[in-house]
Amino acid sequence: MRPSAIVARYHDAMRGKSADALADLYAEDAVHEFPFAVPGFLPDLTGREAIRAGYRAMWDASPVRVEEIRGVVVHETADPEVVVVEHETAGTLGTTGRPFTVPGLLVLRVRDGRVVHCRDYMDAAALARLREAGGMPGGTDPAR
């Protein structure tokens, strides 16, 4: 599978909050890193099943509804296995329906049609605001 097809399926999994669809894109021994992680957010994940379990736990616990992945730009690099993906995740928060956006950057290494390594750079300040508003585990949303 070409990296651009993997990016499209990755974004589909995000919109659907499908940990299975996301994990199925990864090699069995893949690594998913969060270099700018907010304290208390997901730790780095090693292995397809850890990625599946980590995302299932996060997405099941979060009332965030992802409605759109926009501003997607895929940059191919000199290394044919590596693509850099810019995007912005937009949706609504909890039961308040308040809109949110979180800019992000993915650096994906794809080998034999599977993600073998992902560096997931999300805007840590935007995630902290979202968490404080109750959109992520550990936050409080008085409307819930």
Side-chain angles (χ1 to χ4, degrees):
M1 184 181 319
R2 293 187 39 81
S4 58
I6 287 178
V7 169
R9 289 180 58 192
Y10 190 104
H11 287 150
D12 287 344
M14 288 174 62
R15 277 189 293 276
K17 290 171 70 172
S18 174
D20 289 328
L22 184 71
D24 289 348
L25 297 173
Y26 286 79
E28 188 174 325
D29 60 348
V31 174
H32 189 112
E33 295 180 284
F34 299 95
F36 297 156
V38 174
F41 192 61
L42 279 177
D44 293 346
L45 302 167
T46 301
R48 181 187 304 139
E49 295 314 312
I51 293 164
R52 185 184 318 277
Y55 269 92
R56 179 171 288 128
M58 179 181 66
W59 285 341
D60 285 353
S62 176
V64 165
R65 188 168 140 216
V66 175
E67 296 168 355
E68 182 181 11
I69 310 295
R70 59 186 180 210
V72 177
V73 180
V74 178
H75 302 277
E76 294 190 14
T77 68
D79 182 336
E81 291 187 344
V82 177
V83 293
V84 177
V85 183
E86 300 176 65
H87 62 238
E88 184 176 74
T89 303
T92 53
L93 177 60
T95 58
T96 66
R98 186 174 358 156
F100 73 87
T101 58
V102 177
L105 181 80
L106 299 171
V107 179
L108 300 173
R109 178 171 293 279
V110 178
R111 185 175 302 132
D112 299 325
R114 299 269 186 201
V115 176
V116 296
H117 192 255
C118 175
R119 285 197 180 105
D120 193 341
Y121 296 93
M122 294 176 276
D123 181 336
L127 288 175
R129 288 190 301 272
L130 188 57
R131 184 177 183 164
E132 284 300 311
M136 295 183 67
T140 56
D141 182 348
R144 286 195 296 177

